Amino acid sequence: MTLPPKPKPRENKVSLWRYLQLFRRDILSAQPARLYRAWMAEFRTPFFRSYLCNQPELVDLVLKQRPDDFPKSRRIREGLSPLLGNSVFVTNGETWKRQRRIIDPAFEGGRLRDTFPSMLVAGQGAVARLTALADGAPVEIEEQTSHLAADVIFRTLFSIPIEHDVANQVFSKFRAHQRSQPVVNLGALLPLPKWFPRFHNRKTRQTARDIRGLITRLTSDRMHEIKAGTAPDDLATKIMTTSDPLTGQRFDTGEMVDQVAIFFLAGHETSASALAWALYLLALYPEWQERLAAEACKVFGDGEIEFSKVGKLRISRNVFRETLRLYPPVPMMVREAACPENFRDRAIPKGAQIVLSPWHLHRHERLWERPDEFDPARFATENGKSCLRNAYIPFSAGQRVCTGAGFAMIEGPLLLSMMVQACRFERVAGREAMPVAHLTVRGLDGIWLSMTPRTGA
Ligand code: HEM
């Protein structure tokens, strides 16, 4: 049976220098195989101590029970600050709580219904682009899903399409930014001494400045529109006009720029990765692709695609869920122990890095049945249901859970169904994808597929 691609783990013992080299190349293959079985693993070096926690009770403790005692690692800023400033992704404590109080209402269920038409238009645009490429020739699909996910974000946030001049510039600058800083989380995952060469080069800082300059334009234009009473009713307007119920404060333009940067980054990179892997898996398992296409035809029919229909895309949702299990776009998250702890009878010093790894937890051999197999039907089994509750965190969990989780779980199944209804996706011989973790989990040499139109769809 064909298993979905998985990087070969490194040998068990390597020098610190070798580990850093491997880590810089790809954080997934830099890890040893034992992490797929361990409940906890300690990484002790002269410079740092990290603890990777796989035991569901520990993950629960860190994320849900005592999240304030395990704040986001300060090291996260090392990689992200030039771009994200003081965004909700990197702040802690009272600042973070205030930011979430303002942001969260924009992503509540009712508001998601309002963003749906923008998602749909973006999906129709993607279908048109893919259909034009559906001549059986190889296509790098991540580029397509990236374009699509960026379009969704710009339309839902600012009511502008990706073709808009500023949106387009932000999109291409982000690509350049990613190329100049391939492993953005390195500083966060590996607390290194001050003298160790950092990977923030001049180019990275420049692209971050350029992106922020463009986002500032969008945000201050919107501020003027809000004042003039001409602003469209989208996510940006909602967030910028919401006051914190406790302090009465709103975001000023500067703080909003930080948030827009993270919405764009977190919202488009992750969805693009998940959609590309979902299409790749459907090409590997054509029987699932056919089932998904049939479901899309049945649910969408010939009429308008409405919000209420998304809930009926059960196969699509399970395929998307299974994709997020096998290829969690955010493969690892880092927290810091604010005080000394005792985990599994081991003393954890204050300041230690606590690594939670969706990548390893989702493929844990002592938790999941057939962890490396692609089986969207698993979520109906007892094991699947129990793992969904205890060992499945593609969006993290607890108070710091992804703001866009609900948004993504509408966007993903909807777009997947629309694309598969329009085209048949097939593997390209000699171009198998291999996951590596850059900013998100991507294909080492991209993800290549060929497409043909589905006649009669
Ligand atoms: C498949 C799609 C997505 C996945 C897998 C995903 C995953 C995640 C994960 C794992 C985190 C927690 C990271 C950490 O704690 O270190 C996170 C945080 C976040 N995500 Fe998402 N995300 C997705 C889509 C989105 C979308 C569409 C948006 C917004 C439009 C979004 C906005 C955010 C924000 C603002 C945070 C920071 C929350 C906080 O720290 O309080 N994400 N996401």
Side-chain angles (χ1 to χ4, degrees):
M1 139 173 275
T2 317
L3 289 178
K6 177 180 174 185
K8 197 164 162 293
R10 68 152 159 93
E11 60 274 29
N12 254 336
K13 287 236 171 298
V14 291
S15 69
L16 174 62
W17 185 247
R18 176 83 186 123
Y19 183 49
L20 293 177
Q21 274 181 326
L22 291 170
F23 200 98
R24 190 175 181 185
R25 207 178 305 151
D26 161 38
I27 60 176
L28 300 179
S29 52
Q31 312 304 334
R34 67 186 157 91
L35 298 192
Y36 293 107
R37 291 194 58 75
W39 293 128
M40 183 165 104
E42 181 175 3
F43 296 87
R44 202 188 270 241
T45 78
F47 316 122
F48 61 86
R49 278 202 207 174
S50 304
Y51 297 84
L52 185 138
C53 299
N54 273 335
Q55 189 181 348
E57 292 76 9
L58 285 181
V59 176
D60 197 73
L61 178 83
V62 172
L63 293 179
K64 291 195 192 157
Q65 289 176 36
R66 290 177 36 217
D68 290 338
D69 293 335
F70 300 98
K72 272 239 165 138
S73 159
R74 272 167 295 151
R75 304 278 179 167
I76 288 223
R77 281 173 196 257
E78 297 222 9
L80 298 173
S81 61
L83 185 62
L84 300 182
N86 233 355
S87 100
V88 65
F89 196 80
V90 291
T91 50
N92 278 317
E94 281 313 310
T95 307
W96 170 79
K97 288 189 178 155
R98 181 178 54 80
Q99 291 173 338
R100 286 289 297 235
R101 286 196 298 268
I102 297 177
I103 291 168
D104 283 354
F107 289 90
E108 277 163 8
R111 294 293 304 184
L112 290 180
R113 179 185 287 272
D114 300 339
T115 59
F116 180 76
S118 302
M119 282 183 192
L120 188 60
V121 178
Q124 286 158 343
V127 165
R129 283 190 298 276
L130 293 181
T131 313
L133 293 170
D135 58 3
V139 172
E140 204 286 294
I141 213 72
E142 282 181 335
E143 203 177 318
Q144 300 299 322
T145 55
S146 227
H147 188 134
L148 167 57
D151 198 19
V152 170
I153 285 294
F154 279 115
R155 285 178 188 276
T156 51
L157 205 55
F158 278 110
S159 303
I160 53 176
I162 185 77
E163 289 77 21
H164 182 284
D165 178 40
V166 179
N168 210 326
Q169 282 191 56
V170 174
F171 181 49
S172 48
K173 294 269 180 203
F174 256 105
R175 299 188 80 114
H177 187 76
Q178 214 189 318
R179 270 196 292 272
S180 68
Q181 187 185 18
V183 184
V184 87
N185 267 328
L186 189 71
L189 287 166
L190 284 186
L192 299 169
K194 285 264 181 293
W195 49 263
F196 195 86
R198 290 297 191 272
F199 307 113
H200 272 182
N201 54 32
R202 216 156 22 109
K203 216 163 141 212
T204 312
R205 284 197 299 268
Q206 186 56 48
T207 49
R209 261 197 302 274
D210 294 346
I211 295 168
R212 291 182 62 86
L214 291 162
I215 294 179
T216 305
R217 259 167 68 190
L218 287 177
T219 311
S220 50
D221 285 355
R222 177 53 59 88
M223 204 59 115
H224 287 125
E225 287 172 330
I226 291 172
K227 284 189 183 136
T230 55
D233 180 23
D234 51 22
L235 289 178
T237 300
K238 172 72 184 161
I239 294 168
M240 289 168 78
T241 53
T242 299
S243 308
D244 171 13
L246 291 191
T247 63
Q249 284 173 350
R250 289 185 185 179
F251 286 147
D252 59 22
T253 305
E255 212 174 354
M256 186 62 190
V257 169
D258 296 344
Q259 314 311 331
V260 173
I262 187 58
F263 289 146
F264 185 77
L265 183 70
H268 120 272
E269 272 284 324
T270 47
S271 298
S273 155
L275 284 169
W277 283 110
L279 292 173
Y280 187 74
L281 286 165
L282 290 173
L284 277 187
Y285 304 96
E287 62 288 3
W288 276 104
Q289 186 173 168
E290 293 315 305
R291 289 178 65 184
L292 198 149
E295 175 187 77
C297 286
K298 188 164 154 230
V299 172
F300 294 155
D302 294 331
E304 278 278 293
I305 302 181
E306 291 140 18
F307 183 70
S308 59
K309 291 186 175 169
V310 180
K312 300 193 174 117
L313 299 171
R314 292 201 178 83
I315 295 176
S316 191
R317 196 163 46 252
N318 281 338
V319 165
F320 195 67
R321 262 190 192 152
E322 180 70 338
T323 307
L324 293 177
R325 182 183 75 81
L326 285 166
Y327 301 103
V330 180
M332 290 182 204
M333 298 177 274
V334 193
R335 300 292 188 260
E336 202 166 282
C339 43
E341 300 284 343
N342 194 303
F343 283 3
R344 296 184 59 80
D345 292 332
R346 243 182 283 179
I348 312 284
K350 177 176 178 218
Q353 305 288 296
I354 308 296
V355 180
L356 305 167
S357 173
W359 181 273
H360 292 97
L361 187 64
H362 292 181
R363 291 175 182 255
H364 204 277
E365 292 160 12
R366 294 203 253 171
L367 294 168
W368 294 87
E369 283 168 7
R370 302 166 288 107
D372 290 332
E373 284 180 29
F374 173 74
D375 179 13
R378 71 169 69 241
F379 299 111
T381 66
E382 278 315 309
N383 176 257
K385 283 187 210 162
S386 129
C387 285
L388 209 49
R389 285 193 300 275
N390 304 315
Y392 185 77
I393 50 166
F395 297 107
S396 184
Q399 63 176 15
R400 268 208 110 125
V401 68
C402 170
T403 330
F407 181 104
M409 286 310 296
I410 293 174
E411 179 193 19
L414 169 76
L415 299 177
L416 200 54
S417 293
M418 289 175 78
M419 291 189 284
V420 171
Q421 188 187 25
C423 297
R424 179 171 285 108
F425 293 82
E426 282 171 279
R427 302 158 71 167
V428 176
R431 287 205 140 150
E432 303 307 338
M434 184 48 70
V436 288
H438 286 174
L439 197 53
T440 50
V441 174
R442 293 301 178 114
L444 177 61
D445 298 308
I447 296 183
W448 291 85
L449 294 173
S450 67
M451 294 171 290
T452 44
R454 263 180 204 278
T455 44

